[in-house]
Amino acid sequence: MAFQLVDRAGMGVLRISLNSLKYGRDFPAWKESLSSIEVRMPSEYIKPSIFILTQKQITDCSLTELFILNKLHEVGYVNINDIEKDLKKIFKEPWIEIEKAINRESMRQYINLKGNNSGVFITTTNIGNI
C-alpha cells in the first residue's frame, strides 16, 4: 500500500516503531530511496502477551525495553551481544540503553541478566515468561 503520507516533525518513525513493538509486532524495516521512504511491517500480527504486559503492567516502556521484551517472547533468553548489535542501529551507545532497561524497577520483575560460559544473556523471570 502506498499512502503518500509524510510527517514533517519526524516523530512518525518513532511513533510507528514504538506502537509496533507495543503490539508485539516486529520492528519495522525502513528503506530510503531518492524520493520516498518505504516501511515494511506486519499488518495484522499481534502478540497478546506483549500487548497486555505493555498496556497493563509496564505502561511507559522505552524503545529498548519494548525491543527486549519482543526478543524474549516465547524464547526466554537472548544473548546480550545480539541485542546490543541490533540496538547499535538506533542508539550511539546501546549498552547504556540496555543497562537502563535492565535496572529499571518495573522491568526487574520480568527480566534478569545472567551469564555462563557461553555468554551473557537477558532472560525472563518466572513472572516474565511470556
Side-chain angles (χ1 to χ4, degrees), residues 68-91:
I68 290 170
L69 289 172
N70 277 280
K71 284 288 195 182
L72 288 171
H73 184 262
E74 293 183 351
V75 178
Y77 71 94
V78 75
N79 191 311
I80 203 152
N81 289 334
D82 295 339
I83 291 178
E84 192 172 11
K85 184 173 65 174
D86 290 341
L87 290 176
K88 196 167 192 86
K89 299 171 190 171
I90 303 167
F91 298 106

Side-chain angles (χ1 to χ4, degrees), residues 95-107:
W95 172 245
I96 293 171
E97 300 299 321
I98 294 168
E99 190 175 29
K100 280 189 230 175
I102 293 168
N103 291 325
R104 189 169 157 221
E105 190 63 37
S106 59
M107 291 294 287

Side-chain angles (χ1 to χ4, degrees), residues 30-48:
W30 303 88
K31 181 181 174 186
E32 185 177 350
S33 68
L34 293 176
S35 62
S36 64
I37 296 175
E38 181 180 313
V39 181
R40 291 189 180 262
M41 59 188 287
S43 59
E44 296 181 18
Y45 185 69
I46 186 171
K47 297 173 190 163

